Amino acid sequence: MAEDPHKPAAAEATPSGEVGVVADVPPAEKAVSVNDPPAPVPEPEPEAAEKSEEKPQAVVAAASEEVVVVEEEKPKAVEEQKTITQSVSFKEESYVVTELPDPQKKALDELKQLIQQALNKHEFTTPPPPPPAPKEDIKSEETPAEEKKKDEEEKTEKVEEAPKAESPATETEPPKTETEPVKEPAPEPKEEKAPAPAPAPAPSPAPESSSTETVVVAEVVEKITATDEDGAKTVEAIKESIVEVSASAVSEEPAPKETEKAPATEEAASTAAAADAPAETKEEVPAPPPPPPEEVFIWGIPLLADERSDVILLKFLRARDFKVKDAFAMIKNTVRWRKEFGIDALLDEDLGSDWDKVVFTHGVDKKGHPVCYNVFGEFSNKELYQNTFGDEEKRSKFIKWRIQFLEKSIRKFNFDPTGISTIVQVNDLRNSPGLFKREHHHVTNQALQLLQDNYPEFVARQVFVNVPWWYLAFNRFISPFLTQRTKSKFVFAGPSKSAETLFKYIAPEQVPVQYGGLSREGEQEFTTSDPVTEFTVKPASKHIIEIPVSESGVLVWEIRVVGWDVSYGAEFVPSAEDQYTIIIQKTRKITPADEPVITNSYKIGDPGKVVLTIDNQSSKKKKILYRTKTKTSSE
């Protein structure tokens, strides 16, 4: 699935087709992502390190299951000409405004101005414009001027015909009332609308006006009323006749007689005078004060309120290559989608715990980013698969649960410019349903679109572990459709290299035990605050760990060899030469099926050292993890 060219930085895909990705995931399949602070890219693989920094390439090793680190290629000439350049190897940019390049500062300021104008006009809460009307309706609405002209022509024809039907004495007067209104209102059609409020005084014309004019008006009214089929047109004709008569009456009658006019006529005159009054008279009525700017929240942060809002705006700008108008449109669409989807209500909705083992957050990486795990192999359980993708209602519920999980993760960030606002996403592809499960694929695409459009720049890095051979081939296929920024966040590792790859970005004490680390649920002797020491044992060699002890108490240690298949033993060697060595654990062969982490303890009575021996007789190097602590006897 190719990336949207208008959304260059907001697409990262999860290979297994899972719905657990955040805004920066590519089209393959999504995983979980949140926020990431400024953190340099870790050291590349040995093969990648040997390559020239000027021409980094993707290192792919499918058969050997080597770690595959996708790094950005050298920018093309066209990309180098852009005002705002992207880093060659992904390194999260700063969210501190003062540290931004000038073009980015300018883009941020322009975006703020557009948002402020939209807040003043309440554009975020105003519903989108309705779809265009059918062609027939458009034609009828687009020709008001033509209809007015036709109406005027019909009115004049009726006024000309009306006197002919009356006595000869009145035939000479109507032309005066017809010719004057036709010439005067034609150039200024607006003046015809001004006397609109005068229909009420029409039945009581000024008594002092000439009898012929009065008779003409009355006869015209009766004639039009009797012959016209359109009521609206009849009213307009009456309005014109009354205006002409009243205007002539006012000009011909002396001032004293004007005071004798009926109140209705005075109101008509004042209405006409008001229409002809200068603009200054109209401004005397104070306009109602404009409504206060609306307040819009995204992830609990009000837009334009403080520097936390700058972090959010920069995410949208980076997702659109700092194209201000595109970023502004994306923000408006996101706000509208959040209201339609009901995000605020969704946070409190109980959607069950069926997927707690599919997507979960565990620990942080070496830079402090929360780590989210997407375990696609859980869907190999037929019952869970059916309960998730069985029908449209179930698929919709899973998408809601996934959005809810992501929203809750994002709400934990304070969006401080110097803090953490992204996550690291680990995607486990072992036993993944693959790309050929139709229901799974459908949900993946649907969730991917939502995440790309509404959660930009929340992924610091995508690490794919237990990657099968077929996905490496698939990644090669989709790679040309992904942006360099997206690909620079990707790291791939086969089954034999998964734990070692994770340790490059996540400390072993933070990695769950099922992924080769030492972090376990429940009460343990050690916690994530206890650091782990790492060693690598070469093939067909032995490694010895010595732990000196010099005070009374209880020495506790735990050790793990990733993949085991080695011999392990522990003993205490006293410092005094006349004392014997004490065997704590007899040397034995430990297989991968045995307990992944071994915990031992020894009560110290004399000074000396505890010696741990790892004998690796296999043909592969082994990663050793261990940590120790001394407790008092009371503990």
Side-chain angles (χ1 to χ4, degrees), residues 618-629:
S618 69
S619 59
K620 298 180 180 179
K621 62 181 181 179
K622 299 291 183 178
K623 174 72 72 173
I624 301 174
L625 310 173
Y626 78 94
R627 53 185 171 179
T628 66
K629 67 168 35 175

Side-chain angles (χ1 to χ4, degrees), residues 356-419:
D356 287 353
K357 292 183 178 180
V358 177
V359 182
F360 60 89
T361 301
H362 189 103
V364 297
D365 74 343
K366 293 180 179 179
K367 302 299 179 181
H369 303 99
V371 181
C372 183
Y373 292 82
N374 297 275
V375 188
F376 305 133
E378 292 292 328
F379 288 124
S380 60
N381 183 314
K382 294 182 179 179
E383 182 179 356
L384 178 62
Y385 187 92
Q386 183 63 27
N387 291 337
T388 304
F389 308 108
D391 54 43
E392 185 61 33
E393 182 179 355
K394 294 176 181 178
R395 293 191 289 267
S396 176
K397 181 180 179 180
F398 176 65
I399 290 178
K400 290 176 64 177
W401 180 89
R402 189 61 191 86
I403 295 296
Q404 182 192 66
F405 180 90
L406 179 58
E407 280 286 330
K408 290 181 178 179
S409 299
I410 294 177
R411 294 298 179 104
K412 295 178 182 178
F413 300 125
N414 59 12
F415 288 95
D416 185 274
T418 59

Side-chain angles (χ1 to χ4, degrees), residues 274 277-288:
E280 296 179 357
T281 306
K282 296 180 181 179
E283 293 178 356
E284 292 179 359
V285 180

Side-chain angles (χ1 to χ4, degrees), residues 43-63:
E43 293 295 328
E45 290 297 312
E47 295 87 351
E50 294 175 1
K51 296 186 179 293
S52 169
E53 295 180 357
E54 297 179 355
K55 297 181 180 180
Q57 299 176 353
V59 182
V60 181

Side-chain angles (χ1 to χ4, degrees), residues 289-331:
E294 63 180 327
E295 194 172 22
V296 175
F297 291 81
I298 299 183
W299 302 300
I301 307 299
L303 289 180
L304 304 186
D306 49 39
E307 59 185 5
R308 297 176 301 166
S309 175
D310 293 343
V311 175
I312 294 176
L313 299 187
L314 284 172
K315 287 182 180 294
F316 283 92
L317 283 169
R318 285 171 178 153
R320 292 294 179 264
D321 285 340
F322 282 87
K323 297 177 181 177
V324 177
K325 292 184 178 179
D326 291 347
F328 176 62
M330 185 180 183
I331 292 175

Side-chain angles (χ1 to χ4, degrees), residues 189-245:
K190 295 182 180 179
E191 295 183 357
E192 296 177 4
K193 298 179 181 180
S204 58
E208 298 297 330
S209 57
S210 62
S211 60
T212 57
E213 291 179 351
T214 303
V215 172
V216 170
V217 173
E219 291 174 355
V220 171
V221 171
E222 293 175 359
K223 184 66 177 179
I224 292 175
T225 303
T227 59
D228 195 1
E229 298 178 357
D230 189 347
K233 294 180 180 179
T234 302
V235 173
E236 293 178 1
I238 294 172
K239 289 179 183 178
E240 292 180 1
S241 301
I242 293 173
V243 169
E244 294 301 325
V245 173

